Amino acid sequence: MGAVRVYLGLAAKRQDIPARVLDRVRAVVETAFPVPADVIRGREWHGRGVSLFGWTNEPDDSRQPPLISEETGRVLGLNGHLADPADAARLPGDTVGGCFSAWIARDGELTASTAINRVCPVFYAETPDLHVVGSRALLVHLAAQQVDRIDHDLMALQTMIRQGFFLSDETPYKGVSALRPSSRIDLRGGSRTITETPLPEAAPAPTSARRKRAAVDELADALLATVAPLREAGEPVNLALTGGRDTRILAALLHAARVPFRVTTNGLDTHPDVILARQIAARLKVEHTVIAPPQTAAKDAVIVEHPLSRAWETLRTCEGMTSAYESIVSYLPYSGKPTMSGQSGETLRAGSLNLLQTDLGDKALLRRINNTFYKDEKLFTAEANAHARELAKPWQARPNRLEALDHIYIWYKVGRWQASARAGSLRRGDPVRPFLDNRVVRAALSLDQGWRLSEEVIYSLILRFAPELRDVPIEGKPWRFAEAMAARRPRWFERTHVPPAHMPTPRTGGGWSWRTSPGPALTDVLREQVLGGLDALTPIVNPDEVRALFADPVVKKPALAWHLYTVSTLLTGLYPGKEPEGLDAISVSRPGA
């Protein structure tokens, strides 16, 4: 399973690593590791011209492989988990199952590698005397700095303001880059070599039932391998189950793999999530717990923490690579209990960017690529827009638009946004993420994007793992392939098996959120910070456009306001620094209340 492990490797360009650098690394790790200092355990290995540091908040050394292990003439560190710990001997390797980055050292040599979605990241930097690689970008930056100062990469932060995460291999810290997916960095003799394995090219969509079964079986086998070790977990996996697609696959998967599990659903008894999750649990004969939300629908306001506290915790956990608009899982003491959710299930459906599309024509898909990289151009300076357009060029040049959007999702939405955001949940212990597994992602990307987007693949997986769920409706929208087939060949479709009718998500006032409807009091706090620190933002954004954004009593683009707020607090020095104290909570009123 997973937990927060932090690694830092140093490779000298000439002779030995200076003692002052080693001392600096030991001194700054508490700044870059977002857990209480008293729960951090560390190990070090030092060889000729190379050092490898590892730290963790795991309470003991029971998880395999250990934090740092020495075997067969090399030293290994593993961030994340392997589907089979015995595969540690095969690292680095593109076909190893799990969700991980690998760190390998021996005298005079240092290697770090990412898996296919780089959700366990590797960052790197270079100084005149050293190469620095690590799993936390801020730690790499601090280790590489000659003086006690943080230098921000302003142009890199334009994408944080547009989207709330990074659409590049840049970081907020000057000179620090993220290693790409399926890549390795080798440091030998003072020189650096980066090797990248391209993402798999999808095969054409299978045209016969036999070929479809064979393709689905390969993906099914990869998924089964991810959960097989959970049979020995000692207690049931807790699965957060909804009425939707992605968690349903996981329930069916655990059932097929004979892994003990129970399910939990948040919601009222009348919500489709609860109704359908109850049916799924009954068919699979597993324990089901419903957690009703607080009955606050009649109340006219909510009390939320001050944005500065929220921003500080987000900067601390996500290192300025995720917006404080997102809700990051807060710290709790480490627990070994296995938990599971449907995060990143869109990988099996050609990615969230393709799923947003109704028009799959070339122009519409190119527009989606363009809008992903350089939306809201009026808000940004000419330099920032030019930078964004340069980042978009390799993706615009790809002739297969579905593939481009599929891979953008893997490279950035998973590999940058989720990689930083999941640091919050990893602090707590062992979330299991089958959809992030190296072999699962590789198998999924090998399937035609249009076929995956039709949802026939995941529907077939559910029926393969748990035919008992054949007649349980889906929540939200109809299955895409069923809707398309019914429209094209209605008579044939009536004679074959058809998925049951979907259960639409009810449209109620219960969908109100203080983040998307921030109200005047919260808008005032966001406005004060952003406009008060506008000088720090002016290389990236046009001041007049920012003022116009905040001209109304309630900001009309709250996500954009939060992104600006996050970058403003980063650039004006909120973190690293002490947690803000004595801040009043903010009351956010329901619109029209």
Side-chain angles (χ1 to χ4, degrees):
M1 303 314 105
V4 176
R5 287 182 171 186
V6 172
Y7 288 96
L8 186 87
L10 302 169
K13 293 183 177 180
R14 292 170 289 276
Q15 297 178 340
D16 297 325
I17 299 166
R20 61 176 174 75
V21 175
L22 301 176
D23 289 341
R24 178 167 174 78
V25 167
R26 297 179 188 113
V28 299
V29 67
E30 291 178 10
T31 299
F33 197 158
V35 298
D38 60 1
V39 303
I40 299 174
R41 296 188 303 113
R43 284 200 63 193
E44 303 176 12
W45 177 88
H46 303 281
R48 179 171 46 82
V50 170
S51 291
L52 181 62
F53 293 81
W55 301 271
T56 184
N57 65 323
E58 298 158 23
D60 55 43
D61 293 316
S62 59
R63 196 160 71 87
Q64 295 298 316
L67 181 62
I68 290 182
S69 57
E70 297 185 46
E71 54 184 34
T72 61
R74 69 176 191 170
V75 177
L76 172 70
L78 186 97
N79 186 21
H81 75 275
L82 299 175
D84 180 356
D87 282 341
R90 296 171 54 206
L91 292 171
D94 289 337
T95 59
V96 173
C99 177
F100 57 86
S101 57
W103 309 78
I104 298 167
R106 38 172 80 89
D107 275 347
E109 296 182 18
L110 181 64
T111 295
S113 66
T114 55
I116 195 166
N117 52 20
R118 64 168 167 186
V119 78
C120 293
V122 172
F123 301 101
Y124 61 96
E126 184 177 356
T127 76
D129 302 313
L130 284 172
H131 291 285
V132 186
V133 293
S135 60
R136 299 282 291 175
L138 177 59
L139 182 60
V140 169
H141 186 64
L142 292 172
Q145 289 291 80
Q146 300 297 310
V147 294
D148 191 15
R149 186 184 70 207
I150 291 176
D151 292 327
H152 292 112
D153 187 339
L154 294 178
M155 279 304 105
L157 287 163
Q158 59 84 22
T159 187
M160 265 292 294
I161 295 173
R162 280 185 223 265
Q163 294 284 12
F165 63 97
F166 273 77
L167 283 158
S168 70
D169 302 323
E170 301 160 310
T171 71
Y173 311 105
K174 196 171 285 185
V176 180
S177 299
L179 194 62
R180 289 180 170 180
S182 266
S183 297
R184 58 184 281 178
I185 182 168
D186 291 292
L187 303 168
R188 291 189 189 92
S191 65
R192 180 176 76 197
T193 305
I194 294 177
T195 311
E196 181 182 344
T197 302
L199 298 187
E201 187 175 334
T207 52
S208 69
R210 182 179 62 81
R211 287 179 176 172
K212 284 182 177 181
R213 277 196 303 273
V216 169
D217 282 349
E218 189 174 333
L219 181 53
D221 289 344
L223 282 163
L224 286 164
T226 68
V227 298
L230 294 171
R231 294 191 200 107
E232 315 301 324
E235 62 178 298
V237 176
N238 188 69
L239 169 65
L241 181 65
T242 70
R245 290 145 171 79
D246 301 332
T247 59
R248 182 172 305 199
I249 297 175
L250 297 179
L253 171 64
L254 293 169
H255 173 76
R258 294 185 170 83
V259 172
F261 72 105
R262 53 177 172 249
V263 298
T264 304
T265 307
N266 291 287
L268 297 170
D269 284 344
T270 54
H271 195 280
D273 273 347
V274 175
I275 295 168
L276 296 175
R278 190 170 278 140
Q279 289 183 36
I280 293 167
R283 301 286 176 96
L284 301 183
K285 298 181 172 58
V286 295
E287 177 189 341
H288 182 218
T289 303
V290 177
I291 302 172
Q295 300 296 300
T296 57
K299 294 186 178 179
D300 61 0
V302 295
I303 306 297
V304 302
E305 68 178 329
H306 193 284
L308 210 57
S309 297
R310 184 181 178 93
W312 183 86
E313 180 61 25
T314 306
L315 293 177
R316 174 176 178 253
T317 306
C318 306
E319 304 189 290
M321 292 183 283
T322 299
S323 171
Y325 176 76
E326 306 292 343
S327 293
I328 302 302
V329 176
S330 59
Y331 171 79
L332 283 177
Y334 179 91
S335 167
K337 293 182 178 180
T339 61
M340 191 180 287
S341 74
Q343 203 169 43
S344 294
E346 296 97 339
T347 301
L348 274 56
R349 296 187 277 145
S352 61
L353 295 172
N354 280 320
L355 287 165
L356 290 170
Q357 289 293 124
T358 50
D359 182 350
L360 297 181
D362 187 74
K363 286 184 178 178
L365 293 173
L366 179 59
R367 199 159 49 242
R368 173 68 64 184
I369 293 172
N370 296 345
N371 200 44
T372 299
F373 280 92
Y374 47 82
K375 69 173 185 176
D376 295 317
E377 283 192 285
K378 277 180 63 179
L379 182 71
F380 292 86
T381 61
E383 188 182 2
N385 284 327
H387 190 75
R389 286 178 172 272
E390 202 62 33
L391 294 174
K393 279 182 180 178
W395 302 99
Q396 293 166 331
R398 289 203 185 191
N400 185 336
R401 307 291 191 207
L402 285 177
E403 180 192 73
L405 287 163
D406 189 22
H407 289 187
I408 288 169
Y409 169 78
I410 293 292
W411 273 49
Y412 304 126
K413 197 69 189 285
V414 177
R416 299 307 312 275
W417 175 74
Q418 198 168 118
S420 61
R422 82 191 273 270
S425 60
L426 284 176
R427 295 180 296 183
R428 294 185 172 193
D430 292 338
V432 183
R433 299 285 186 262
F435 300 134
L436 295 177
D437 181 88
N438 195 41
R439 284 181 300 195
V440 170
V441 177
R442 192 166 295 280
L445 293 183
S446 299
L447 302 180
D448 178 78
Q449 279 85 17
W451 187 37
R452 273 189 287 140
L453 188 57
S454 78
E455 301 183 328
E456 186 180 1
V457 172
I458 61 167
Y459 183 75
S460 301
L461 281 171
I462 292 167
L463 295 195
R464 185 193 185 287
F465 291 143
E468 300 93 326
L469 302 182
R470 176 181 292 265
D471 299 321
V472 179
I474 202 77
E475 188 261 338
K477 297 177 180 177
W479 292 101
R480 286 173 175 240
F481 74 94
E483 197 172 32
M485 187 62 76
R488 284 203 311 270
R489 301 173 65 187
R491 289 186 180 175
W492 176 88
F493 193 65
E494 288 168 7
R495 295 197 302 270
T496 189
H497 165 71
V498 297
H502 68 292
M503 188 175 286
T505 305
R507 294 184 177 275
T508 67
W512 172 74
S513 164
W514 63 270
R515 291 189 307 149
T516 53
S517 301
L522 183 53
T523 295
D524 282 348
V525 176
L526 299 176
R527 181 192 296 113
E528 184 179 356
Q529 168 67 38
V530 174
L531 298 189
L534 206 48
D535 286 351
L537 294 169
T538 49
I540 317 170
V541 292
N542 293 317
D544 288 345
E545 292 294 331
V546 177
R547 292 187 190 99
L549 177 71
F550 285 100
D552 296 326
V554 176
V555 66
K556 287 192 172 71
K557 294 184 175 180
L560 185 57
W562 274 104
H563 303 342
L564 280 161
Y565 183 89
T566 306
V567 174
S568 174
T569 57
L570 175 74
L571 294 179
T572 54
L574 176 64
Y575 187 84
K578 290 185 178 179
E579 182 176 4
E581 296 177 346
L583 297 170
D584 293 331
I586 308 290
S587 175
V588 181
S589 300
R590 182 187 292 270

